[in-house]
Amino acid sequence: ARPVGGATRALVVPRTVTPSLGLRFAVARAMLLDAVGLGLVVRLAPRDLALHVAALLRQFEPMHRPPNVELAPLDELARAMTRTFPRDRHADLSPTAFQVIERGPLDPDALLAGAWELGNRLALLATDDMSAAVSLLSPVEGATAEQLKATTALGRLLRVSTSDRFADARRAAERA
């Protein structure tokens, strides 16, 4: 399940998908990723994400061009963003944009992985259902505990779920 952006938010789940614990977790994750503004990020391929970030950064530094981003599509997308970018936000976002530019080339794979990991953590916090997370993120059905821990995303989520900070966040969410 992936969020579908637009003025009215929608979540598209194919009719052929069988309801399951994993689906419940996936729907929560998609909705929460969209709620925190990462719906578009997780729908893009790494190459397209790099292009979109570069075009956005061109709103602040017109000559910005990271390696491995083709110039023609970058120019075209940057022009389209210029027409729709809210000018009143320019001053607010400018310091952050320049910090990103100064850091050097963006790793779109790392950005995507971070977005998905945040989505997994938020979905676990919202559903409080580790079995649903395991159902979705498990490499194979009936995986052993060692196989689950070895799965990068699931292993990190398992470690986070047993942390004091996550327990504190869970208690705060229950009070809200």
Side-chain angles (χ1 to χ4, degrees):
R2 291 178 182 244
V4 178
T8 303
R9 302 292 191 225
L11 183 66
V12 177
V13 179
R15 184 177 355 166
T16 57
V17 172
T18 304
S20 67
L21 286 176
L23 179 62
R24 178 174 178 250
F25 188 85
V27 167
R29 181 178 65 183
M31 292 172 64
L32 290 162
L33 280 168
D34 191 58
V36 296
L38 294 173
L40 174 64
V41 171
V42 298
R43 288 194 320 263
L44 292 174
R47 181 180 176 142
D48 293 332
L49 180 57
L51 174 66
H52 279 75
V53 170
L56 178 60
L57 293 174
R58 273 200 166 200
Q59 304 312 301
F60 303 92
E61 174 54 61
M63 298 310 294
H64 176 69
R65 181 181 176 207
N68 302 323
V69 174
E70 294 181 35
L71 185 57
L74 177 58
D75 283 343
E76 183 179 332
L77 185 56
R79 278 194 301 276
M81 282 188 182
T82 298
R83 290 190 294 272
T84 60
F85 190 81
R87 282 286 137 204
D88 59 331
R89 298 297 319 264
H90 198 276
D92 295 338
L93 297 173
S94 187
T96 302
F98 284 112
Q99 284 178 352
V100 171
I101 291 169
E102 287 173 12
R103 281 193 173 156
L106 171 81
D107 180 353
D109 291 312
L111 185 57
L112 281 169
W116 283 114
E117 183 158 341
L118 175 63
N120 289 337
R121 290 178 183 196
L122 290 173
L124 182 60
L125 188 62
T127 64
D128 194 25
D129 192 348
M130 181 55 84
S131 61
V134 169
S135 176
L136 179 69
L137 301 173
S138 178
V140 292
E141 192 172 323
T144 67
E146 289 307 311
Q147 287 173 315
L148 295 178
K149 288 178 187 172
T151 303
T152 307
L154 188 54
R156 280 196 303 269
L157 192 59
L158 285 166
R159 285 187 292 282
V160 165
S161 71
T162 59
S163 71
D164 291 339
R165 289 180 70 192
F166 189 80
D168 292 343
R170 184 77 208 129
R171 283 190 290 277
E174 289 170 354
R175 286 191 301 269

